[in-house]
Amino acid sequence: MAVNESRDKAKKKLGREGEAKARAYLKKQGYKIVEHNYKNPFGEVDIIARKGGVIAFIEVKTRLSDEYGLPSEAVNYYKKRRYIQGAKYYFANREPDCTVRFDVIEIFRGEINHIENAFYEGG
Protein backbone atom coordinates (compact mmCIF):
# COMPACT_ATOMS: atom_id res chain seq x y z
CA MET A 1 0.00 0.00 0.00
CA ALA A 2 1.34 3.44 -0.92
CA VAL A 3 2.15 5.92 1.84
CA ASN A 4 -0.51 8.41 0.66
CA GLU A 5 -3.17 5.71 0.50
CA SER A 6 -2.31 4.61 4.03
CA ARG A 7 -2.39 8.22 5.26
CA ASP A 8 -5.78 8.79 3.59
CA LYS A 9 -7.22 5.68 5.26
CA ALA A 10 -5.92 6.84 8.64
CA LYS A 11 -7.45 10.31 8.13
CA LYS A 12 -10.81 8.83 7.16
CA LYS A 13 -10.75 6.54 10.20
CA LEU A 14 -9.91 9.49 12.46
CA GLY A 15 -12.78 11.46 10.88
CA ARG A 16 -15.28 8.62 11.38
CA GLU A 17 -14.19 8.22 15.00
CA GLY A 18 -14.51 11.97 15.55
CA GLU A 19 -18.01 12.03 14.09
CA ALA A 20 -19.08 9.11 16.31
CA LYS A 21 -17.65 10.90 19.34
CA ALA A 22 -19.46 14.11 18.33
CA ARG A 23 -22.79 12.26 17.98
CA ALA A 24 -22.38 10.70 21.44
CA TYR A 25 -21.52 14.13 22.88
CA LEU A 26 -24.57 15.74 21.26
CA LYS A 27 -26.89 13.04 22.58
CA LYS A 28 -25.55 13.62 26.11
CA GLN A 29 -26.27 17.33 25.61
CA GLY A 30 -29.91 16.56 24.80
CA TYR A 31 -29.76 16.71 21.00
CA LYS A 32 -31.62 14.27 18.77
CA ILE A 33 -29.56 13.20 15.76
CA VAL A 34 -31.80 13.78 12.75
CA GLU A 35 -29.26 12.78 10.08
CA HIS A 36 -25.58 12.01 9.85
CA ASN A 37 -23.46 11.99 6.72
CA TYR A 38 -26.35 13.72 4.94
CA LYS A 39 -25.44 13.70 1.25
CA ASN A 40 -26.85 16.40 -1.00
CA PRO A 41 -25.90 17.95 -4.35
CA PHE A 42 -23.57 20.42 -2.58
CA GLY A 43 -21.59 17.90 -0.54
CA GLU A 44 -22.15 16.22 2.78
CA VAL A 45 -23.31 17.51 6.16
CA ASP A 46 -21.65 15.56 8.96
CA ILE A 47 -24.50 15.85 11.46
CA ILE A 48 -27.96 17.40 11.52
CA ALA A 49 -29.21 17.55 15.10
CA ARG A 50 -32.27 19.00 16.81
CA LYS A 51 -32.61 20.40 20.30
CA GLY A 52 -35.82 22.16 21.17
CA GLY A 53 -36.66 24.64 18.45
CA VAL A 54 -33.19 24.56 16.87
CA ILE A 55 -31.84 22.41 14.06
CA ALA A 56 -28.06 22.54 13.86
CA PHE A 57 -26.08 21.63 10.76
CA ILE A 58 -22.77 20.52 12.25
CA GLU A 59 -19.36 20.16 10.65
CA VAL A 60 -17.03 17.90 12.65
CA LYS A 61 -13.28 18.42 12.40
CA THR A 62 -10.88 16.10 14.19
CA ARG A 63 -7.13 16.59 14.53
CA LEU A 64 -4.39 15.12 16.63
CA SER A 65 -1.93 17.99 16.14
CA ASP A 66 -2.04 21.70 15.46
CA GLU A 67 0.57 21.47 12.69
CA TYR A 68 -2.02 22.83 10.24
CA GLY A 69 -3.95 24.95 12.77
CA LEU A 70 -6.91 24.16 14.98
CA PRO A 71 -9.60 21.90 13.53
CA SER A 72 -12.20 24.69 13.30
CA GLU A 73 -9.81 26.77 11.19
CA ALA A 74 -10.23 24.20 8.41
CA VAL A 75 -13.87 25.25 7.95
CA ASN A 76 -13.27 27.71 5.14
CA TYR A 77 -15.56 29.91 3.07
CA TYR A 78 -16.29 27.12 0.57
CA LYS A 79 -17.16 24.59 3.28
CA LYS A 80 -19.50 27.15 4.89
CA ARG A 81 -21.21 27.84 1.54
CA ARG A 82 -21.70 24.10 0.97
CA TYR A 83 -23.29 23.75 4.41
CA ILE A 84 -25.63 26.70 3.83
CA GLN A 85 -26.64 25.32 0.42
CA GLY A 86 -27.06 21.86 1.97
CA ALA A 87 -29.41 23.33 4.60
CA LYS A 88 -31.47 25.07 1.93
CA TYR A 89 -31.67 21.79 0.04
CA TYR A 90 -32.68 19.94 3.22
CA PHE A 91 -35.57 22.36 3.77
CA ALA A 92 -36.56 22.62 0.08
CA ASN A 93 -39.64 20.41 0.52
CA ARG A 94 -40.18 21.02 4.22
CA GLU A 95 -41.63 23.91 6.11
CA PRO A 96 -38.92 24.91 8.61
CA ASP A 97 -40.52 25.04 12.06
CA CYS A 98 -37.31 25.89 13.81
CA THR A 99 -34.28 28.12 14.06
CA VAL A 100 -31.45 26.98 11.80
CA ARG A 101 -27.93 27.14 13.13
CA PHE A 102 -24.50 26.22 11.76
CA ASP A 103 -22.10 24.74 14.31
CA VAL A 104 -18.62 23.29 14.27
CA ILE A 105 -17.48 20.58 16.62
CA GLU A 106 -13.73 20.41 16.76
CA ILE A 107 -12.07 17.46 18.39
CA PHE A 108 -8.48 18.27 19.15
CA ARG A 109 -6.32 15.71 20.89
CA GLY A 110 -9.47 13.99 22.13
CA GLU A 111 -11.08 17.12 23.60
CA ILE A 112 -14.44 18.32 22.24
CA ASN A 113 -15.12 22.00 21.59
CA HIS A 114 -18.67 22.70 20.38
CA ILE A 115 -18.80 26.05 18.64
CA GLU A 116 -22.45 27.06 18.32
CA ASN A 117 -23.36 29.62 15.64
CA ALA A 118 -19.88 29.18 14.15
CA PHE A 119 -21.07 30.80 10.93
CA TYR A 120 -24.22 32.02 9.26
CA GLU A 121 -25.51 32.89 5.83
CA GLY A 122 -23.88 36.10 4.76
CA GLY A 123 -21.13 35.83 7.35
Side-chain angles (χ1 to χ4, degrees), residues 14-48:
L14 180 67
R16 283 192 308 273
E17 290 169 353
E19 288 176 18
K21 189 171 187 170
R23 288 192 304 273
Y25 162 83
L26 288 165
K27 288 176 185 174
K28 285 182 184 172
Q29 300 302 311
Y31 287 84
K32 179 185 182 293
I33 305 302
V34 177
E35 300 263 0
H36 68 91
N37 302 118
Y38 171 69
K39 291 175 181 38
N40 62 79
F42 308 99
E44 182 177 289
V45 174
D46 292 335
I47 300 171
I48 302 173

Short mmCIF file of all heavy atoms in Angstrom, two decimals, residues 14-48:
data_model
loop_
_atom_site.label_atom_id
_atom_site.label_comp_id
_atom_site.label_asym_id
_atom_site.label_seq_id
_atom_site.Cartn_x
_atom_site.Cartn_y
_atom_site.Cartn_z
N LEU A 14 -9.90 8.46 11.42
CA LEU A 14 -9.91 9.49 12.46
C LEU A 14 -11.18 10.33 12.34
O LEU A 14 -11.84 10.64 13.34
CB LEU A 14 -8.67 10.38 12.34
CG LEU A 14 -8.54 11.50 13.37
CD1 LEU A 14 -8.33 10.92 14.77
CD2 LEU A 14 -7.38 12.42 12.99
N GLY A 15 -11.57 10.68 11.11
CA GLY A 15 -12.78 11.46 10.88
C GLY A 15 -14.03 10.71 11.31
O GLY A 15 -14.91 11.28 11.97
N ARG A 16 -14.12 9.43 10.97
CA ARG A 16 -15.28 8.62 11.38
C ARG A 16 -15.37 8.52 12.90
O ARG A 16 -16.45 8.63 13.48
CB ARG A 16 -15.21 7.22 10.77
CG ARG A 16 -15.58 7.14 9.31
CD ARG A 16 -15.77 5.70 8.83
NE ARG A 16 -14.63 4.83 9.14
CZ ARG A 16 -13.56 4.67 8.37
NH1 ARG A 16 -13.46 5.33 7.24
NH2 ARG A 16 -12.60 3.85 8.72
N GLU A 17 -14.22 8.30 13.54
CA GLU A 17 -14.19 8.22 15.00
C GLU A 17 -14.61 9.55 15.63
O GLU A 17 -15.35 9.58 16.61
CB GLU A 17 -12.81 7.80 15.48
CG GLU A 17 -12.46 6.37 15.15
CD GLU A 17 -10.99 6.02 15.40
OE1 GLU A 17 -10.18 6.93 15.71
OE2 GLU A 17 -10.65 4.83 15.27
N GLY A 18 -14.14 10.64 15.05
CA GLY A 18 -14.51 11.97 15.55
C GLY A 18 -16.00 12.22 15.42
O GLY A 18 -16.63 12.74 16.35
N GLU A 19 -16.58 11.84 14.28
CA GLU A 19 -18.01 12.03 14.09
C GLU A 19 -18.82 11.18 15.07
O GLU A 19 -19.83 11.65 15.62
CB GLU A 19 -18.41 11.71 12.65
CG GLU A 19 -17.92 12.77 11.68
CD GLU A 19 -18.22 12.44 10.23
OE1 GLU A 19 -19.10 11.58 9.97
OE2 GLU A 19 -17.58 13.04 9.35
N ALA A 20 -18.38 9.96 15.33
CA ALA A 20 -19.08 9.11 16.31
C ALA A 20 -19.00 9.73 17.71
O ALA A 20 -19.98 9.75 18.45
CB ALA A 20 -18.48 7.71 16.31
N LYS A 21 -17.83 10.25 18.04
CA LYS A 21 -17.65 10.90 19.34
C LYS A 21 -18.53 12.15 19.44
O LYS A 21 -19.14 12.42 20.48
CB LYS A 21 -16.17 11.27 19.54
CG LYS A 21 -15.82 11.76 20.90
CD LYS A 21 -14.32 11.89 21.07
CE LYS A 21 -13.99 12.21 22.51
NZ LYS A 21 -12.57 12.12 22.80
N ALA A 22 -18.63 12.91 18.35
CA ALA A 22 -19.46 14.11 18.33
C ALA A 22 -20.94 13.74 18.50
O ALA A 22 -21.66 14.41 19.24
CB ALA A 22 -19.24 14.88 17.03
N ARG A 23 -21.39 12.68 17.83
CA ARG A 23 -22.79 12.26 17.98
C ARG A 23 -23.09 11.85 19.42
O ARG A 23 -24.13 12.23 19.98
CB ARG A 23 -23.13 11.12 17.02
CG ARG A 23 -23.22 11.55 15.57
CD ARG A 23 -23.84 10.49 14.67
NE ARG A 23 -23.17 9.20 14.72
CZ ARG A 23 -22.13 8.86 13.98
NH1 ARG A 23 -21.61 9.72 13.11
NH2 ARG A 23 -21.60 7.65 14.08
N ALA A 24 -22.19 11.11 20.04
CA ALA A 24 -22.38 10.70 21.44
C ALA A 24 -22.43 11.92 22.35
O ALA A 24 -23.29 12.01 23.25
CB ALA A 24 -21.26 9.76 21.86
N TYR A 25 -21.54 12.88 22.10
CA TYR A 25 -21.52 14.13 22.88
C TYR A 25 -22.85 14.87 22.74
O TYR A 25 -23.43 15.31 23.73
CB TYR A 25 -20.35 15.01 22.41
CG TYR A 25 -20.48 16.45 22.82
CD1 TYR A 25 -20.09 16.88 24.09
CD2 TYR A 25 -21.02 17.39 21.95
CE1 TYR A 25 -20.23 18.20 24.46
CE2 TYR A 25 -21.17 18.71 22.32
CZ TYR A 25 -20.78 19.11 23.57
OH TYR A 25 -20.94 20.43 23.95
N LEU A 26 -23.32 15.01 21.50
CA LEU A 26 -24.57 15.74 21.26
C LEU A 26 -25.74 15.07 21.96
O LEU A 26 -26.59 15.75 22.56
CB LEU A 26 -24.83 15.85 19.75
CG LEU A 26 -23.90 16.81 19.00
CD1 LEU A 26 -24.00 16.59 17.50
CD2 LEU A 26 -24.22 18.26 19.36
N LYS A 27 -25.81 13.76 21.91
CA LYS A 27 -26.89 13.04 22.58
C LYS A 27 -26.87 13.31 24.08
O LYS A 27 -27.92 13.54 24.69
CB LYS A 27 -26.80 11.54 22.30
CG LYS A 27 -27.19 11.17 20.89
CD LYS A 27 -26.98 9.69 20.63
CE LYS A 27 -27.24 9.34 19.18
NZ LYS A 27 -26.93 7.94 18.87
N LYS A 28 -25.67 13.32 24.67
CA LYS A 28 -25.55 13.62 26.11
C LYS A 28 -25.99 15.05 26.42
O LYS A 28 -26.44 15.33 27.53
CB LYS A 28 -24.11 13.43 26.58
CG LYS A 28 -23.70 11.99 26.73
CD LYS A 28 -22.29 11.88 27.26
CE LYS A 28 -21.84 10.44 27.32
NZ LYS A 28 -20.42 10.30 27.64
N GLN A 29 -25.87 15.94 25.43
CA GLN A 29 -26.27 17.33 25.61
C GLN A 29 -27.75 17.55 25.33
O GLN A 29 -28.23 18.68 25.36
CB GLN A 29 -25.43 18.25 24.71
CG GLN A 29 -23.94 18.20 24.95
CD GLN A 29 -23.59 18.55 26.39
OE1 GLN A 29 -24.05 19.55 26.94
NE2 GLN A 29 -22.78 17.71 27.01
N GLY A 30 -28.48 16.47 25.02
CA GLY A 30 -29.91 16.56 24.80
C GLY A 30 -30.34 16.75 23.35
O GLY A 30 -31.51 17.02 23.08
N TYR A 31 -29.42 16.60 22.42
CA TYR A 31 -29.76 16.71 21.00
C TYR A 31 -30.29 15.38 20.49
O TYR A 31 -29.89 14.32 20.96
CB TYR A 31 -28.53 17.07 20.16
CG TYR A 31 -28.06 18.49 20.30
CD1 TYR A 31 -27.23 18.86 21.34
CD2 TYR A 31 -28.45 19.46 19.39
CE1 TYR A 31 -26.78 20.16 21.48
CE2 TYR A 31 -28.01 20.77 19.50
CZ TYR A 31 -27.18 21.12 20.55
OH TYR A 31 -26.74 22.41 20.67
N LYS A 32 -31.17 15.45 19.51
CA LYS A 32 -31.62 14.27 18.77
C LYS A 32 -30.91 14.33 17.42
O LYS A 32 -30.97 15.34 16.72
CB LYS A 32 -33.13 14.31 18.57
CG LYS A 32 -33.66 13.13 17.78
CD LYS A 32 -35.15 13.29 17.50
CE LYS A 32 -35.71 12.10 16.76
NZ LYS A 32 -35.22 11.93 15.42
N ILE A 33 -30.23 13.26 17.05
CA ILE A 33 -29.56 13.20 15.76
C ILE A 33 -30.62 12.94 14.70
O ILE A 33 -31.27 11.89 14.71
CB ILE A 33 -28.47 12.10 15.73
CG1 ILE A 33 -27.47 12.29 16.88
CG2 ILE A 33 -27.77 12.08 14.37
CD1 ILE A 33 -26.75 13.61 16.92
N VAL A 34 -30.81 13.88 13.81
CA VAL A 34 -31.80 13.78 12.75
C VAL A 34 -31.20 13.05 11.54
O VAL A 34 -31.85 12.19 10.95
CB VAL A 34 -32.30 15.19 12.33
CG1 VAL A 34 -33.29 15.11 11.19
CG2 VAL A 34 -32.91 15.92 13.53
N GLU A 35 -29.98 13.39 11.20
CA GLU A 35 -29.26 12.78 10.08
C GLU A 35 -27.78 12.81 10.40
O GLU A 35 -27.32 13.68 11.14
CB GLU A 35 -29.44 13.59 8.78
CG GLU A 35 -30.83 13.76 8.29
CD GLU A 35 -31.23 12.77 7.23
OE1 GLU A 35 -30.40 11.91 6.85
OE2 GLU A 35 -32.39 12.85 6.79
N HIS A 36 -27.03 11.87 9.83
CA HIS A 36 -25.58 12.01 9.85
C HIS A 36 -25.06 11.55 8.50
O HIS A 36 -25.66 10.71 7.83
CB HIS A 36 -24.91 11.30 11.04
CG HIS A 36 -24.97 9.82 11.03
ND1 HIS A 36 -24.00 9.03 10.46
CD2 HIS A 36 -25.89 8.96 11.51
CE1 HIS A 36 -24.31 7.76 10.61
NE2 HIS A 36 -25.47 7.69 11.24
N ASN A 37 -24.00 12.19 8.06
CA ASN A 37 -23.46 11.99 6.72
C ASN A 37 -24.55 12.22 5.67
O ASN A 37 -24.75 11.43 4.75
CB ASN A 37 -22.83 10.61 6.57
CG ASN A 37 -21.73 10.38 7.58
OD1 ASN A 37 -21.81 9.50 8.41
ND2 ASN A 37 -20.72 11.22 7.55
N TYR A 38 -25.25 13.34 5.83
CA TYR A 38 -26.35 13.72 4.94
C TYR A 38 -25.77 14.20 3.60
O TYR A 38 -25.18 15.27 3.51
CB TYR A 38 -27.20 14.81 5.58
CG TYR A 38 -28.24 15.40 4.67
CD1 TYR A 38 -29.33 14.65 4.24
CD2 TYR A 38 -28.12 16.72 4.23
CE1 TYR A 38 -30.28 15.21 3.39
CE2 TYR A 38 -29.07 17.27 3.39
CZ TYR A 38 -30.15 16.52 2.97
OH TYR A 38 -31.08 17.06 2.13
N LYS A 39 -25.95 13.37 2.58
CA LYS A 39 -25.44 13.70 1.25
C LYS A 39 -26.47 14.52 0.50
O LYS A 39 -27.67 14.24 0.56
CB LYS A 39 -25.11 12.42 0.49
CG LYS A 39 -23.91 11.71 1.08
CD LYS A 39 -23.66 10.38 0.39
CE LYS A 39 -22.49 9.60 0.94
NZ LYS A 39 -22.26 9.62 2.34
N ASN A 40 -26.00 15.54 -0.20
CA ASN A 40 -26.85 16.40 -1.00
C ASN A 40 -26.04 16.88 -2.20
O ASN A 40 -24.84 16.61 -2.26
CB ASN A 40 -27.37 17.56 -0.13
CG ASN A 40 -26.26 18.44 0.38
OD1 ASN A 40 -25.74 19.28 -0.35
ND2 ASN A 40 -25.87 18.26 1.65
N PRO A 41 -26.65 17.56 -3.15
CA PRO A 41 -25.90 17.95 -4.35
C PRO A 41 -24.71 18.88 -4.08
O PRO A 41 -23.86 19.06 -4.95
CB PRO A 41 -26.95 18.67 -5.21
CG PRO A 41 -28.26 18.15 -4.73
CD PRO A 41 -28.07 17.86 -3.28
N PHE A 42 -24.63 19.46 -2.89
CA PHE A 42 -23.57 20.42 -2.58
C PHE A 42 -22.44 19.81 -1.76
O PHE A 42 -21.46 20.47 -1.47
CB PHE A 42 -24.17 21.63 -1.86
CG PHE A 42 -25.32 22.20 -2.62
CD1 PHE A 42 -26.62 21.89 -2.27
CD2 PHE A 42 -25.10 23.01 -3.74
CE1 PHE A 42 -27.69 22.40 -3.00
CE2 PHE A 42 -26.17 23.51 -4.47
CZ PHE A 42 -27.46 23.20 -4.10
N GLY A 43 -22.61 18.56 -1.35
CA GLY A 43 -21.59 17.90 -0.54
C GLY A 43 -22.25 17.05 0.52
O GLY A 43 -23.28 16.43 0.29
N GLU A 44 -21.66 17.05 1.69
CA GLU A 44 -22.15 16.22 2.78
C GLU A 44 -22.14 17.02 4.07
O GLU A 44 -21.19 17.74 4.35
CB GLU A 44 -21.26 14.99 2.94
CG GLU A 44 -21.72 14.03 4.00
CD GLU A 44 -20.84 12.80 4.07
OE1 GLU A 44 -20.89 11.97 3.15
OE2 GLU A 44 -20.09 12.69 5.06
N VAL A 45 -23.22 16.91 4.83
CA VAL A 45 -23.31 17.51 6.16
C VAL A 45 -23.01 16.39 7.15
O VAL A 45 -23.66 15.34 7.11
CB VAL A 45 -24.71 18.12 6.41
CG1 VAL A 45 -24.83 18.62 7.84
CG2 VAL A 45 -25.00 19.24 5.42
N ASP A 46 -22.04 16.61 8.02
CA ASP A 46 -21.65 15.56 8.96
C ASP A 46 -22.80 15.16 9.87
O ASP A 46 -23.11 13.98 9.99
CB ASP A 46 -20.44 15.99 9.79
CG ASP A 46 -19.18 16.12 8.97
OD1 ASP A 46 -19.07 15.45 7.91
OD2 ASP A 46 -18.29 16.89 9.37
N ILE A 47 -23.41 16.15 10.51
CA ILE A 47 -24.50 15.85 11.46
C ILE A 47 -25.57 16.93 11.35
O ILE A 47 -25.26 18.12 11.29
CB ILE A 47 -23.98 15.82 12.92
CG1 ILE A 47 -22.91 14.75 13.10
CG2 ILE A 47 -25.13 15.60 13.90
CD1 ILE A 47 -22.21 14.80 14.45
N ILE A 48 -26.83 16.49 11.35
CA ILE A 48 -27.96 17.40 11.52
C ILE A 48 -28.61 16.96 12.82
O ILE A 48 -28.99 15.79 12.97
CB ILE A 48 -28.96 17.32 10.36
CG1 ILE A 48 -28.26 17.64 9.03
CG2 ILE A 48 -30.13 18.28 10.60
CD1 ILE A 48 -29.14 17.41 7.80
#
